[in-house]
Amino acid sequence: MKSTTRRSFLSGLAALSLPPLFGEEARRPRSAVIVVDIQGDFTEARKGSLAVAGTDEAYLRSVAEATAKFKAAGHLIFATQDWHPADHVSFVTNHKGRKPFEVIKINGRDQVLWPAHCIQNTKGAEILLDAGLFTKVVQKGKDRRFDSYSGFKDDGGARTEKESLLREADVREVIVYGVATDFCVRATALDAATAGFKVTMVRELSRGVAPDSVEKALADLRTAGVSVVDSLPLLA
Ligand SMILES: [Zn+2]
């Protein structure tokens, strides 16, 4: 009696649930794009306080067009957004007597002292892409005590919702690009790789602060198993 009930339950389950489940599986996106920090303060196009070389209008157009293509091809699109309180630890203006780009030790960690940038609810913090592109914008660097180059976690180890968002969507592969190659793109791609995602970093859609640190960052990415590519066939 018991086994008959079980069989009929299973066959019912197979008849009722498997086809829709299979359909859902087939439709479910397995890859996502993370567009890193395309914000006013990081771009020359907006005369940002921490503008990265080569972030002119043409660059912004190429990022917008590429991101729209990825979305049309079925990728989930996430953005990271640097989102600091005005008293953030990374701002040189919050360290008396220090100069911009000086590196100091804070609790044993290296901290670069940046010009104030991406202050919450200011023009400079705005993302310069159509908000309709994004499944979700993940903000980082909100805790005044810790910098956060990575979209996954800050220097204090506090995690953003990024990884759980990717897992919930059953994402296996991520494509990463944006600014700056040698800081936030590097850190985000490395953490994605550490979390077990298959990661591709796209050079033509990324810009870096300095040539030396860009080369070092690309080497670090390759060592971590990230595929560093100039472009992708979809963008041709
Ligand atoms: Zn920042």
Side-chain angles (χ1 to χ4, degrees), residues 82-95:
D82 222 22
W83 192 249
H84 297 311
D87 60 352
H88 195 251
V89 67
S90 75
F91 296 171
V92 67
T93 40
N94 294 325
H95 299 269

Side-chain angles (χ1 to χ4, degrees), residues 10-69:
L10 284 175
S11 59
L13 190 71
L16 292 171
S17 300
L18 288 183
L21 182 64
F22 182 78
E24 193 182 314
E25 286 283 323
R27 281 199 311 276
R28 188 180 287 169
R30 296 305 176 102
S31 52
V33 170
I34 303 175
V35 188
V36 179
D37 295 10
I38 303 293
Q39 294 170 257
D41 274 338
F42 292 133
T43 56
E44 292 175 329
R46 294 293 183 279
K47 298 187 167 53
S49 62
L50 189 43
V52 176
T55 53
D56 54 6
E57 291 290 351
Y59 169 69
L60 291 179
R61 263 197 311 278
S62 71
V63 170
E65 285 170 14
T67 307
K69 281 185 187 177

